[in-house]
Amino acid sequence: MPCGGTVPADVAYLLNLKLSQRFYEEENFSVVADCDSRTGHIKATHIILYKQQFYSMQNGGRKGYIHTCLCEEGLEQHQRLVVTQRRLVEDFVDFLHRERQLQCMHASALEKLIPSVLDVCQGDPQDRNQEQASDQTDVNIHQLCENPLLVAVESGHAICLLQYNRRSKKVTCTCKVSSGRTCIHKKTYEEWRSEGNGQEGENECEQPRTSTSTSFDTISKASIPYPLPENLQEVFMDYESCTRPFPSNLIPSIPENSKCTCNEDWDDSDPVEKGWQIGNAIIYKDSLSLTHMPDLNGQLHPIGVYYRKCKRGSCKLFYDGQEDLLFNVNNRDLIYYGVLFKYLHHMLEGRNPLAACQRALKHNHAMLSGSKCIPIHVLRRGWNSFARLLHVDWDKWFTCPICGPYPETVVCDGTAVGFQKRHMDVFDDKETPTCTTPISGTKQKDRVLINNPKVRRLLGQFAKGSTPLTPEEFQSILDFTFTQSHLYSLHNVMVSLQGNLTCPPPYKLLMKNLAYNSPASAFVQGTSHESMAVLQEMLLARIAFFSSGCYAELNFINEQYPVLTSLMHPLCVNGQLPDNIYSVIYDIVGKAKSCVSPILSSTQYPPASPIKTVKEMFQGLEFFPGLHQLHGSGTYTTSKSKDRIRCRDEYDCTKIARGHPTLTPGIFTLYCEHGVCYGFQAMKQHESPAVPFNILKTRFPVAPRIVIYDNACHLHQYCLNREPSFFKETMFLVDRMHMRGHVGCCLGYDMDAYKRLDIKKINSQVNEQENAGLARIKGQLAYMVPSNFMFHAGLFLALRNKSKLSNLSSIN
């Protein structure tokens, strides 16, 4: 709540600034919210305060600054201090005490929030004035706030503010150019944003962003090896041990067998002697920025950047810097590789975004050296270009060496890491081609053993036993099962149990699973038709699976049909099953066999999209470097209404999606059982079985043997509705953590129901564990344009994969 009223105006203004946090400090100036001089209430507009730096040569020399303002009250003080040439003949403490009594309300409040700094003066003040003047030749952009937009454009000693006026819905500049014209500061800011710098602000310059990509062009363009080779590691060790200085003349070396664009050789003359200098440079390190380097005599000289000409003289070769571990951003700002690699690994293991990294560097520079820190827009441009130049073997790093290009076991899931929804408008509704001829699958009502929801509910109540059935309810089960030919065996079982209004304990597990709305094939997942035919022959022969003389048969059903074994074992008496139980199991297997349609030829699907390069993948929403699309998506006749409503139960499993109001739903990742990510897809809508279905169907020549997913029960039904033959031998399993919430699913989806070693050893949480790493950078990814989002997510997963591959290699 704003302060004012009976509180003095200057006190109210200070408190309001603290509450709103609308004050911003930069290296040469500060910006604060303007105020009403009578009440101290802050306004929507802002005002610039300059940091006037002074040097006093008394008592060993002191330096410091004081804030001055261009408002009506502070203008006289500002103009008077400007003409002092930054030199003081008195002690700086006495100077500060006197001048603070004359400050305006803005400067006085800011002095209390950001006190003036005193330090020992190093070097001649006149030299520092000249150095600062040389630093002011370029235009610097400072994005102070994104919402509402507030930008300071610093050009020389002049500073202008761009700020968004919510009342007029326009971005205004304090330079006050004539109406109908766009000032140079707006144009400069738009060019700076077009390079991918800064964060997008509210209605910035009234130019809506329609592109999904950004450009991060720098002078350095050579591919950067990861990790560094031995020769560059030696250079790094020499720098860090101070046995090797940075070069004072940055001269481009001539690449081997390299020619210019006009097919001429490069001139091998000395660029220093030729005078081919672009200008002076600054090298940014962790806690020190270098502008000068000593010569052999110890004299300091500015660091110069040079170029080469071709022998014709029409082309130029610029300094790349890789041999010196320097990344050339713009022939003026060069970033030490150590800074960029440090942020790369902080991104992998920490939560700090690039802006937080720059602020930490700024504190390092201020506390340890007092040198100029790298500006955020230079660091952002340098980092984004550096990251794209890293030599990443995308195909190799996104493929498990044990599983190969098409893993037989996949663990998949979605994670809520998204970007701004408004960027989705530029993407087509369909990224993959679809066929026009509808493809028919099977229907859920034909796959489930009991397709009447009311009868399933009564059977479940009977199995649970908490509420006994009435005679009328029990009779309704008998009436329905009698009319269904494939349920006649179950009818005989129920007749034998008539008079029991609750289920006898040996029958509970069987009845409970038959009451679920799960397809019959869920009981026999991962088996072939030939194997099911063998089992049916055994059932017809009434093999005593659990007797002492049937070890081979018992091993067969334990390995192939562990779920059926679990259902039959409680009903066994002296190794033999009741006769009608053999018939029930036989009908379950028969129902599972009947719901498979013919396999379609590849000609019935549209052709795949052309194979994309990695750079092209980043422009879309799907990134699977090693899993190229084999064909387009099919169009299916399955209805989303009648079939689902008719077979839906009251207690069916549901996966509730709670979306973010401004961010996309997230990404869907695909891992193998060894924890190697094969790629991801940015989801346009909330996570559904359609996402993994399309990935598995269009990118795998043969369906995986095992699919582990927290919504595997619905994915299984979705696949059988569309491509039952393609997925006929695939096992759909719910991961161990989420299975406890699947109270409406049969035992066939439970991983712990399978005693096979290949399933028991699978870490079903590998996807959840790896996606937890992505959560560390979700704050950074949320404000990126789609192409930058896809790149950073891909780079993060690639480097995590590389670490995983190294571990697998050491184990093997």
Side-chain angles (χ1 to χ4, degrees), residues 753-771:
Y754 299 86
K755 308 305 179 185
R756 291 158 43 183
L757 183 61
D758 60 336
I759 295 179
K760 288 180 67 175
K761 70 178 183 179
I762 296 174
N763 176 12
S764 65
Q765 297 304 115
V766 64
N767 196 297
E768 299 275 353
Q769 293 162 358
E770 295 298 328
N771 283 349

Side-chain angles (χ1 to χ4, degrees), residues 202-256:
E202 181 180 358
N203 270 37
E204 49 179 59
C205 299
E206 297 90 42
Q207 297 294 329
R209 294 175 62 84
T210 56
S211 175
T212 64
S213 62
T214 50
S215 174
F216 302 104
D217 197 22
T218 54
I219 303 300
S220 291
K221 298 186 184 303
S223 177
I224 300 169
Y226 183 85
L228 292 178
E230 288 186 7
N231 62 320
L232 293 182
Q233 288 182 6
E234 290 178 4
V235 174
F236 178 81
M237 293 298 295
D238 289 344
Y239 283 151
E240 295 299 307
S241 60
C242 299
T243 57
R244 172 176 180 160
F246 284 94
S248 57
N249 295 324
L250 306 180
I251 300 172
S253 57
I254 301 176
E256 188 176 354

Side-chain angles (χ1 to χ4, degrees), residues 608-621:
S609 300
I611 295 179
K612 297 179 180 179
T613 62
V614 170
K615 189 174 181 179
E616 290 172 336
M617 289 184 196
F618 290 140
Q619 304 302 318
L621 296 176

Side-chain angles (χ1 to χ4, degrees), residues 262-467:
C262 55
N263 204 30
E264 289 287 337
D265 292 328
W266 295 107
D267 193 331
D268 57 0
S269 303
D270 186 359
V272 179
E273 294 180 358
K274 290 284 188 177
W276 293 339
Q277 183 173 358
I278 301 171
N280 296 333
I282 180 169
I283 297 174
Y284 295 106
K285 296 182 65 182
D286 274 346
S287 53
L288 178 68
S289 297
L290 304 175
T291 56
H292 294 72
M293 291 297 296
D295 60 13
L296 296 177
N297 298 321
Q299 296 292 322
L300 290 177
H301 297 281
I303 300 174
V305 182
Y306 294 84
Y307 64 91
R308 290 186 184 275
K309 289 184 177 180
C310 67
K311 291 188 176 180
R312 182 183 293 182
S314 57
C315 298
K316 293 181 179 180
L317 176 65
F318 294 108
Y319 175 73
D320 184 274
Q322 184 172 125
E323 64 273 16
D324 298 317
L325 297 184
L326 298 175
F327 193 80
N328 190 353
V329 178
N330 52 17
N331 278 330
R332 181 180 183 275
D333 301 298
L334 293 99
I335 309 174
Y336 177 47
Y337 271 27
V339 175
L340 296 169
F341 273 110
K342 186 175 182 179
Y343 174 70
L344 172 66
H345 298 122
H346 271 298
M347 182 190 77
L348 285 177
E349 303 298 340
R351 291 180 179 269
N352 290 339
L354 193 64
C357 172
Q358 191 268 346
R359 290 194 294 270
L361 291 174
K362 195 172 183 178
H363 288 302
N364 263 1
H365 281 253
M367 295 298 105
L368 301 178
S369 67
S371 59
K372 179 183 178 182
C373 179
I374 182 171
I376 182 61
H377 66 277
V378 174
L379 180 59
R380 180 173 283 112
R381 183 177 175 184
W383 157 253
N384 279 283
S385 180
F386 172 86
R388 284 161 172 78
L389 290 174
L390 284 173
H391 180 70
V392 177
D393 193 338
W394 299 98
D395 286 359
K396 181 179 178 180
W397 292 6
F398 276 86
T399 303
C400 176
I402 301 174
C403 298
Y406 302 106
E408 289 191 351
T409 300
V410 299
V411 187
C412 53
D413 196 12
T415 183
V417 177
F419 53 86
Q420 300 289 318
K421 284 182 180 177
R422 52 197 168 91
H423 293 307
M424 272 295 187
D425 297 339
V426 300
F427 292 101
D428 296 330
D429 290 337
K430 287 284 186 180
E431 284 206 339
T432 58
T434 57
C435 63
T436 55
T437 305
I439 300 171
S440 298
T442 60
K443 294 182 179 181
Q444 174 69 358
K445 67 181 182 66
D446 297 328
R447 296 190 303 264
V448 68
L449 200 67
I450 303 173
N451 59 17
N452 187 310
K454 180 181 177 181
V455 174
R456 285 201 302 270
R457 182 181 61 81
L458 292 175
L459 189 61
Q461 181 181 334
F462 177 71
K464 191 174 181 181
S466 57
T467 305

Side-chain angles (χ1 to χ4, degrees), residues 27 100 127 141 173 232 258 340 449 475 552 598 672 693 714 773:
E27 185 175 1
R100 279 176 175 169
D127 293 340
I141 308 294
C173 182
L232 293 182
S258 172
L340 296 169
L449 200 67
Q475 186 60 44
C672 74
F693 170 80
H714 286 151

Side-chain angles (χ1 to χ4, degrees), residues 641-694:
S641 55
K642 292 184 179 180
D643 182 53
R644 178 169 294 183
I645 293 172
R646 192 179 306 152
C647 286
R648 190 174 181 84
D649 284 0
E650 182 180 357
Y651 300 106
D652 273 356
C653 296
T654 56
K655 184 170 183 176
I656 301 173
R658 297 181 177 89
H660 192 278
T662 60
L663 300 180
T664 55
I667 63 174
F668 194 90
T669 52
L670 193 77
Y671 286 81
C672 74
E673 60 181 306
H674 304 102
V676 177
C677 181
Y678 274 71
F680 65 95
Q681 175 180 333
M683 295 180 289
K684 298 180 183 178
Q685 299 173 345
H686 292 304
E687 181 185 344
S688 75
V691 179
F693 170 80
N694 285 325

Side-chain angles (χ1 to χ4, degrees), residues 476-515:
S476 64
I477 297 177
L478 293 177
D479 292 342
F480 178 79
T481 54
F482 183 76
T483 60
Q484 306 291 317
S485 59
H486 66 284
L487 294 179
Y488 194 71
S489 58
L490 179 60
H491 172 79
N492 291 334
V493 174
M494 295 303 295
V495 169
S496 67
L497 298 177
Q498 197 166 12
N500 296 285
L501 299 183
T502 58
C503 186
Y507 288 84
K508 280 191 173 183
L509 186 60
L510 175 63
M511 295 302 174
K512 180 182 176 182
N513 280 269
L514 294 180

